[in-house]
Amino acid sequence: MKMVPVPEQAYGNLFEGDCYIILNVSNSTTQSTDIHYWIGNTSSQDEQGAAAIYVTQLDEYLGGSPVQHREVQGCESAKFKSYFKNGLIYKKGGVGSGFTHVESNMYNMQRLLHVKGTKHVTAREVEVSWSSFNVGDIFLLDLGKALIQWNGPQSNRQEKLKVIEKNEDIRDRERGGRAQIGVIEGGQEEAFPELMKIIISVLGQRTGHLKESIPDDKPDQNQTSIVKLYHVSDASGQLLVQEVATSPLTQDLLSSSDCYILDQGGSSVMVWKGKAASDEERRSGFIKAKNYPSNTKVEVMSEGGESAMFKHLFKSWKEKGQIQGLGKTHSVGKIAKVDQVKFDVMELHAQPKLAAQERMVDDASGHIQVWRIENLELKEVNPSTYGQFYGGDCYLVLYTYNRANKPQYILYMWQGRHATQDEVTACAYQAVNLDNKYNGAPTQVRVVMGKEPRHFLYDFLLFIDILIVRGTHEMNTKATEVPTRASSLNTNDVFLLKTHQNVFLWYGKGCSGDEREMGKAVADLLSEQDKQVVMEGQEPAAFWVALGGKAPYASDKRLEKEVAPHEPRLFECSNQTGRFLVTEVADFTQDDLDEDDVMLLDTWEEIFLWIGNSANQYETQESYSSAVEYLKTHPAGRDPGTPVSTVKQAYEPPTFTGWFNAWDAHKWSVSQTG
């Protein structure tokens, strides 16, 4: 019943009769710490109880900041699996029965492993017999000095490659490089006589047909839009668990003096412990009370140490000490002092992560072409009117810029708020035609009026009669048309009113000096006429006449906008069952982008759909509607106007690559030519 360190060469080998504790300290900027305790299918209740106690002690020793995860054999979380890039091997028995034996006899063993999975491989020890085989999976006969991989006739390419990586890992990490690897293609055994001779010497001649394959587990992250929050309290002397809210949740529902349980429809349960909560509250037996299966995923976290997944389930999340205000505070690295600084585009190239966070591919000095959808066809827009977008129309904007002396393209599809469905459809259709003209190289970005990404805003400003100007520097300023009437005014903002005779710049009492400066800059861009500055409360009669007379307008104290510090998340997409399913890839790297798949990268402010070169055609065609469905069903009640960008393999812009550590720009070109 003691905690015993596992030697590094045995990482990923788990005995079914044991329990394990895994401590992971992330090297990311967030410096998050996770403790997982893993329960083998045949482990004893005593071992499971001991593991739970050790996890609590370890958590307390580390100041209560780690997130705790309960893992059950065969139902491990994506985060747990991500630590073992070459997969897991489930071994029969326990440490007492087999561990030392395996260590001393690793070159003289005989075991058969049944291997499953493409993203995360798991291998389970099965009976060393032909009766264990089936036509759809991969089996590995491990004889110590020889590893023979048998590929079922119906197994796919990705699975075969993953198992070869697993074999190489066993050879190099466990066998010191002293083992031979062989591969047999099931159904073509006659082409591998030497390897078959070894297999037959162990298993005997095969008689009869092989079994049909066992279907792979469906992705378990079927997005549940309904999330429930329960309050756990012992204030009355009895432990009470009460439902307090359903999604979308807000952070102010959590009180430091209590514990809360967040239930994702039984697919996972998260326990949040307030700093001042009692120990009794922290030990609520929620899963038993709800009759959920014993393998339900459980995460336990303390206030201040919330996981990215937990924060993603809230409409907004504000960290302690986080600055508030309109626009985003630009900071590089860890925040010590927060300054509102001018954005330096050279930093985008020096720091890819910054390019991604600021959603800028360059300084917007590239070449622009604009088309309007007219009678469902493309009509080129006169450059003298660039920047004028009418709310009843749709536009295509092709932006061309250079990176490493090669042209790169972004194709924006701008949808006016009052455009017809036919125009929106024609816009998407014409975008495909234009995309084909450039051999699929452009990154496609859907832009909804009023939700324009920062790079697009920097290219254009909207010219109409009355505009509200919001922003504190040129990189986040937006001018948006509002109805030409007094009720559109707001005491916290800057407005620009353009009439035939005058250009009025109206400053509300609640706007800042920076906002006034940006209002003036926008006014200078829109008109060469002299501007008449109007302070709220000192309006001339001509101002009210232009607005059709005085009327009440919003004069409340400014509601400051929170910028949610959400970490990016990567998902593998699947629509094969008729339902949109996403499976999360934890601690992702570029290697997790699989050319057979469509992947969804959620950076909160933007959604990227990455299309692999060999992705299933149906999923590629459906990927956009899948992304819209993802936003619609997201438990945090996400904004349906969030920009969605489609990125093709080998044509990734820096706004995408910056979310990946150590992006290799040549990875795809090597694999395509090699």
Side-chain angles (χ1 to χ4, degrees):
M1 295 298 162
K2 289 196 172 76
M3 276 174 75
V4 180
V6 173
E8 205 165 322
Q9 69 265 31
Y11 283 9
N13 291 303
L14 302 168
F15 281 94
E16 296 181 335
D18 289 327
C19 292
Y20 292 81
I21 292 170
I22 290 92
L23 172 68
N24 180 65
V25 181
S26 144
N27 291 322
S28 70
T29 49
T30 51
Q31 278 287 308
S32 60
T33 304
D34 294 270
I35 304 171
H36 302 254
Y37 67 107
W38 182 90
I39 298 167
N41 282 345
T42 58
S43 62
S44 70
Q45 283 293 327
D46 286 348
E47 284 173 314
Q48 293 175 27
I53 291 166
Y54 281 129
V55 164
T56 304
Q57 289 175 350
L58 189 55
D59 181 74
E60 285 169 2
Y61 177 76
L62 293 168
S65 63
V67 176
Q68 298 173 31
H69 310 257
R70 179 175 172 274
E71 309 282 355
V72 176
Q73 180 181 337
C75 302
E76 294 87 353
S77 65
K79 191 170 188 68
F80 181 86
K81 290 175 181 173
S82 76
Y83 305 145
F84 308 99
K85 290 292 184 190
N86 290 306
L88 299 168
I89 295 179
Y90 302 138
K91 295 183 163 187
K92 284 197 179 336
V95 168
S97 62
F99 193 78
T100 50
H101 171 76
V102 171
E103 286 291 297
S104 55
N105 294 290
M106 63 170 59
Y107 296 116
N108 184 26
M109 65 161 58
Q110 198 177 94
R111 64 176 179 172
L112 183 65
L113 296 173
H114 179 186
V115 191
K116 288 183 79 71
T118 50
K119 277 280 178 290
H120 300 292
V121 173
T122 55
R124 192 167 51 86
E125 283 188 21
V126 291
E127 187 190 346
V128 184
S129 157
W130 281 114
S131 64
S132 298
F133 284 65
N134 70 56
V135 293
D137 291 327
I138 295 173
F139 293 82
L140 178 62
L141 183 63
D142 183 358
L143 302 173
K145 290 182 180 173
L147 296 159
I148 302 173
Q149 175 177 333
W150 182 90
N151 296 331
Q154 293 171 15
S155 59
N156 69 43
R157 182 178 67 89
Q158 198 58 34
E159 285 176 314
K160 294 174 186 178
L161 292 173
K162 274 288 185 188
V163 179
I164 287 173
E165 285 175 13
K166 182 70 198 160
N167 290 339
E168 290 170 346
D169 180 54
I170 293 171
R171 178 193 66 195
D172 299 339
R173 196 158 52 90
E174 293 182 30
R175 312 286 155 81
R178 296 191 294 276
Q180 298 294 311
I181 295 173
V183 181
I184 297 171
E185 289 297 338
Q188 302 167 32
E189 283 88 351
E190 63 284 352
F192 308 92
E194 294 302 314
L195 293 173
M196 280 308 294
K197 200 182 289 180
I198 300 170
I199 281 200
I200 289 165
S201 72
V202 177
L203 301 178
Q205 281 288 353
R206 190 172 84 207
T207 56
H209 294 294
L210 292 170
K211 288 186 292 196
E212 284 302 306
S213 59
I214 303 158
D216 283 332
D217 293 336
K218 291 281 181 289
D220 55 3
Q221 296 272 333
N222 178 28
Q223 186 157 272
T224 311
S225 55
I226 299 297
V227 172
K228 292 186 177 179
L229 185 71
Y230 293 85
H231 175 229
V232 182
S233 171
D234 65 350
S236 62
Q238 264 186 308
L239 198 64
L240 287 176
V241 178
Q242 286 180 302
E243 184 182 322
V244 288
T246 56
S247 54
L249 304 175
T250 53
Q251 192 180 355
D252 57 8
L253 291 165
L254 304 173
S255 159
S256 294
S257 58
D258 292 311
C259 274
Y260 294 84
I261 294 168
L262 199 149
D263 181 4
Q264 276 194 281
S267 64
S268 81
V269 170
M270 298 176 182
V271 180
W272 184 88
K273 304 182 296 188
K275 283 178 179 162
S278 73
D279 286 345
E280 189 58 41
E281 288 172 355
R282 292 167 182 235
R283 296 194 184 101
S284 161
F286 184 78
I287 288 173
K288 279 183 184 167
K290 280 290 209 177
N291 290 322
Y292 287 154
S294 59
N295 60 9
T296 301
K297 292 186 183 66
V298 180
E299 270 188 27
V300 181
M301 65 207 71
S302 295
E303 183 177 353
E306 296 86 358
S307 67
M309 171 76 113
F310 183 83
K311 293 177 194 171
H312 254 257
L313 296 172
F314 285 77
K315 184 95 179 153
S316 64
W317 189 272
K318 182 174 171 287
E319 299 293 2
K320 194 177 176 186
Q322 182 192 331
I323 214 82
Q324 285 186 327
L326 282 172
K328 189 169 176 180
T329 303
H330 164 58
S331 60
V332 180
K334 216 166 170 68
I335 298 172
K337 171 170 168 263
V338 181
D339 291 318
Q340 201 77 39
V341 295
K342 189 178 175 202
F343 188 82
D344 179 4
V345 76
M346 293 312 293
E347 291 180 45
L348 297 179
H349 305 291
Q351 299 183 58
K353 191 165 185 184
L354 187 62
Q357 287 168 347
E358 295 296 334
R359 297 160 70 199
M360 292 290 289
V361 295
D362 69 348
D363 59 358
S365 62
H367 179 65
I368 295 168
Q369 284 173 278
V370 184
W371 296 266
R372 190 174 71 251
I373 302 297
E374 198 171 282
N375 298 325
L376 309 187
E377 297 295 327
L378 283 184
K379 180 175 170 57
E380 199 151 351
V381 171
N382 186 323
S384 67
T385 63
Y386 278 7
Q388 299 183 27
F389 290 82
Y390 291 95
D393 289 327
C394 289
Y395 296 80
L396 285 184
V397 178
L398 182 68
Y399 181 78
T400 308
Y401 65 104
N402 278 306
R403 200 167 88 235
N405 295 322
K406 283 169 72 177
Q408 309 283 330
Y409 308 96
I410 301 176
L411 182 57
Y412 292 106
M413 295 166 276
W414 189 90
Q415 299 171 6
R417 193 175 290 124
H418 309 296
T420 66
Q421 190 53 50
D422 283 350
E423 284 171 321
V424 171
T425 305
C427 186
Y429 174 75
Q430 295 294 352
V432 171
N433 289 344
L434 205 54
D435 185 71
N436 290 338
K437 196 173 158 186
Y438 288 87
N439 298 319
T443 295
Q444 293 183 34
V445 184
R446 177 194 67 145
V447 176
V448 176
M449 180 176 170
K451 306 284 182 188
E452 293 83 0
R454 180 171 288 197
H455 186 264
F456 185 90
L457 288 176
Y458 204 48
D459 292 335
F460 298 113
L461 289 161
L462 309 178
F463 303 44
I464 325 200
D465 284 333
I466 181 170
L467 301 101
I468 179 171
V469 182
R470 278 190 172 147
T472 51
H473 55 83
E474 66 264 38
M475 299 299 280
N476 70 4
T477 295
K478 185 190 312 190
T480 310
E481 177 193 11
V482 291
T484 311
R485 53 178 175 259
S487 58
S488 296
L489 298 173
N490 186 315
T491 192
N492 298 313
D493 291 310
V494 174
F495 287 80
L496 186 67
L497 176 62
K498 197 176 168 198
T499 70
H500 295 299
Q501 290 85 25
N502 301 303
V503 177
F504 295 105
L505 196 52
W506 185 86
Y507 294 146
K509 288 176 180 172
C511 66
S512 68
D514 285 344
E515 287 167 332
R516 291 179 190 185
E517 281 301 308
M518 291 320 302
K520 188 172 179 307
V522 169
D524 289 342
L525 273 172
L526 297 187
S527 172
E528 293 177 3
Q529 278 177 267
D530 287 340
K531 321 299 178 299
Q532 186 175 345
V533 172
V534 176
M535 306 303 289
E536 183 179 5
Q538 299 172 23
E539 298 85 357
F543 179 84
W544 294 119
V545 168
L547 290 176
K550 274 189 180 182
Y553 58 85
S555 53
D556 299 345
K557 189 174 180 292
R558 171 183 299 254
L559 293 170
E560 293 173 314
K561 184 184 170 191
E562 293 180 5
V563 178
H566 291 286
E567 289 178 37
R569 297 170 70 195
L570 183 71
F571 299 89
E572 178 188 354
C573 302
S574 168
N575 221 351
Q576 292 167 340
T577 59
R579 285 181 312 167
F580 177 55
L581 298 169
V582 289
T583 311
E584 183 157 14
V585 181
D587 292 333
F588 60 85
T589 66
Q590 186 181 358
D591 290 338
D592 292 311
L593 296 173
D594 191 328
E595 63 181 61
D596 290 332
D597 286 332
V598 173
M599 311 291 286
L600 185 149
L601 178 68
D602 181 1
T603 68
W604 198 265
E605 288 193 359
E606 189 163 7
I607 301 286
F608 291 95
L609 284 164
W610 182 89
I611 314 288
N613 284 341
S614 307
N616 165 317
Q617 194 183 355
Y618 173 73
E619 279 175 19
T620 303
Q621 287 168 347
E622 292 295 308
S623 61
Y624 177 74
S625 52
S626 297
V628 173
E629 183 68 13
Y630 170 82
L631 283 169
K632 204 186 291 177
T633 61
H634 197 287
R638 296 283 287 281
D639 184 345
T642 301
V644 178
S645 301
T646 304
V647 174
K648 280 98 171 179
Q649 181 181 335
Y651 295 101
E652 297 87 356
T655 44
F656 177 83
T657 61
W659 298 108
F660 293 78
N661 284 331
W663 180 271
D664 177 3
H666 303 291
K667 176 181 168 72
W668 311 130
S669 53
V670 170
S671 63
Q672 283 163 3
T673 55

